[in-house]
Amino acid sequence: MDPRIREHAETIVDHSTGIESGDTVVIQLPPEAEDLAVALAELCGDRGAQPVWISNAERFSRAFKRAADGFEEAAHELAMYEETDVFIIARGGANVTEGADVDPETNAAYNRARKAIKEERLSKTWCLTQVPTSGHAQLAGMSTEGYQNFVYDAVSLDWAAQREFQSNLVEILDDAETVRIRSGEETDITLSIAGNTALNDYGEANLPGGEVFTAPVPDGVDGHVHFDLPLYRYGREIEDVRLTFEDGRVVDHSAGRNEDLLTAILETDEGSRRLGELGIGMNRQIDRFTYNMLFDEKMGDTVHMAVGSAYDDCVGEGNEVNESAEHVDMIVDMSEDSTLEVDGEVIQRNGTFVFEDDFDGVDDAAPEDAGDDVPDDDAVA
């Protein structure tokens, strides 16, 4: 076994989830991840925990979705998670486009039926990570060995140091009212985060970590945004997403590729037309785009927003939690012609934060074509 697999498992068990004696643990991994499952089983045994491994096979999921005539809540699966203390899941199937021929409306119906299961899993201690398979290496445009090195370098970061670095941004967002994001000519969006909490992701629920994230107030988002980096969802690539928000709701949308899938996502339920997350990437170790949101959303020089469900821990007392069966992250490249403002103060310019040595504080460096007011009619997606 590659010793890095054992190290990966140790990070999951000891840093990300803190598994202890007596814990019940559900390990959901693809068949290609048997070595990681074995390493996790050994560590659970060492610590007195009780694990079960269930397969996370995309071929299985595809077959069921295409054959079923409607979906119901899987009460037996829900019962398993109700009795679970820790949930570990990894991506890494052999074919990243396995579900590409599942109808978008079918995926939406499937997610609605599983909403209670998703919420139960998120209420537990959980960790989402990646197994470096050849399928994801091909998607990233890398050799299998190169992708393995990329993944293992990203998950073995000095997480204490990363936490300290990211705490600078958490401090800025504490008690903040609004965030404004401007990038190029097509992104100018303002989000209220009043009363909500910014969380420091340093490799716990997500491994790798490397972001600070919060929840926008559901009706407090206005403006337009161009997500200029693509994403994979249900085995299909969505490109050039453009969204327009009014009073928190998507009122216009488009995509350069697979717009039908984007439409289906937004029509899943009422909450899927609102933002559930604003995340700011801060992991400088992740320095290339790989078509894998677990990594791409953590890249320095990016921000991401997710339509759909909000994380309860981000929502302040008395504020509304945006609820949805979906949670779909989309990314804006902030490396050029971009500013990030908090309560009117520029805290990042062209991907560099005010607390980094090479920050350029020139006020007139903001995007030239971005007006002082958030537009209320442009946009899309």
Side-chain angles (χ1 to χ4, degrees):
M1 181 186 296
D2 187 328
R4 296 175 298 181
I5 297 175
R6 175 77 181 195
E7 181 181 355
H8 189 184
E10 289 173 347
T11 302
I12 294 169
V13 168
D14 296 328
H15 171 72
S16 300
T17 61
I19 290 174
E20 299 177 343
S21 178
D23 282 344
T24 54
V25 184
V26 171
I27 300 168
Q28 186 173 347
L29 305 181
E32 294 81 4
E34 183 175 358
D35 281 352
L36 180 59
V38 169
L40 288 169
E42 290 176 345
L43 292 171
C44 284
D46 287 344
R47 286 151 181 74
Q50 298 296 321
V52 60
W53 175 23
I54 59 176
S55 180
N56 183 23
E58 289 298 322
R59 288 183 63 199
F60 176 94
S61 177
R62 171 188 175 274
F64 174 62
K65 289 177 183 178
R66 286 171 57 89
D69 183 18
F71 304 100
E72 298 179 358
E73 180 181 284
H76 61 304
E77 186 177 358
L78 177 60
M80 177 180 68
Y81 291 114
E82 288 173 343
E83 296 298 320
T84 297
D85 297 311
V86 178
F87 173 58
I88 298 166
I89 183 170
R91 297 172 178 170
N95 181 1
V96 296
T97 61
E98 187 66 56
D101 55 358
V102 177
D103 185 76
E105 288 74 20
T106 299
N107 281 316
Y110 179 77
N111 286 337
R112 285 193 294 268
R114 294 178 59 82
K115 184 170 180 287
I117 292 172
K118 174 185 173 183
E119 291 174 347
E120 186 64 30
R121 294 193 315 196
L122 289 175
S123 73
K124 308 297 181 167
T125 298
W126 60 276
C127 176
L128 168 64
T129 191
Q130 177 72 37
V131 177
T133 59
S134 57
H136 277 85
Q138 186 174 30
L139 185 64
M142 302 172 68
S143 68
T144 301
E145 181 181 1
Y147 188 66
Q148 289 172 340
N149 294 337
F150 171 79
V151 169
Y152 291 130
D153 285 348
V155 301
S156 61
L157 213 59
D158 182 339
W159 294 114
Q162 188 69 25
R163 177 183 185 180
E164 183 177 355
F165 171 60
Q166 293 174 181
S167 67
N168 291 290
L169 181 56
V170 174
E171 184 176 351
I172 290 172
L173 294 176
D174 278 346
D175 301 320
E177 298 286 327
T178 62
V179 175
R180 184 179 184 182
I181 300 164
R182 294 190 285 174
S183 183
E185 299 181 7
E186 295 191 78
T187 294
D188 192 348
I189 185 170
T190 299
L191 308 88
S192 171
I193 59 170
N196 285 347
T197 300
L199 298 183
N200 190 339
D201 169 22
Y202 52 97
E204 293 185 309
N206 281 183
L207 183 65
E211 65 171 301
V212 171
F213 64 100
T214 188
V217 175
D219 61 357
V221 180
D222 290 281
H224 53 91
V225 56
H226 174 209
F227 296 101
D228 47 1
L229 293 178
L231 66 143
Y232 259 82
R233 191 71 174 180
Y234 305 121
R236 297 167 66 189
E237 182 181 15
I238 308 176
E239 289 184 333
D240 279 328
V241 172
R242 292 173 170 86
L243 301 178
T244 299
F245 291 87
E246 293 180 4
D247 298 326
R249 193 173 186 272
V250 175
V251 296
D252 197 6
H253 72 275
S254 70
R257 184 178 185 188
N258 286 320
E259 186 175 315
D260 63 325
L261 178 54
L262 175 65
T263 299
I265 289 168
L266 295 173
E267 292 180 349
T268 299
D269 47 42
E270 181 57 30
S272 61
R273 283 192 173 267
R274 299 183 184 274
L275 288 183
E277 180 189 0
L278 166 65
I280 301 168
M282 301 187 70
N283 189 333
R284 301 296 189 193
Q285 183 67 40
I286 301 172
D287 58 1
R288 62 183 295 166
F289 182 75
T290 61
Y291 287 96
N292 185 334
M293 193 60 68
L294 181 61
F295 292 79
D296 298 339
E297 70 174 7
K298 312 302 192 316
M299 285 191 298
D301 303 353
T302 67
V303 298
H304 58 276
M305 291 164 253
V307 293
S309 60
Y311 296 110
D312 289 350
D313 289 347
C314 290
V315 180
E317 185 176 356
N319 279 3
E320 179 185 356
V321 178
N322 195 55
E323 296 184 353
S324 174
E326 280 287 10
H327 182 96
V328 179
D329 294 289
M330 293 172 277
I331 302 174
V332 178
D333 182 352
M334 298 288 287
S335 62
E336 296 180 357
D337 199 22
S338 301
T339 58
L340 182 63
E341 301 175 18
V342 175
D343 293 339
E345 297 290 330
V346 174
I347 62 106
Q348 184 197 71
R349 178 169 285 113
N350 298 334
T352 304
F353 293 99
V354 292
F355 45 82
E356 295 183 288
D357 292 339
D358 53 350
F359 175 74
D360 179 1
V362 178
D363 290 338
D364 63 3
E368 295 179 1
D369 294 303
D372 291 334
D373 298 320
V374 177
D376 59 5
D377 56 355
D378 242 317
V380 274

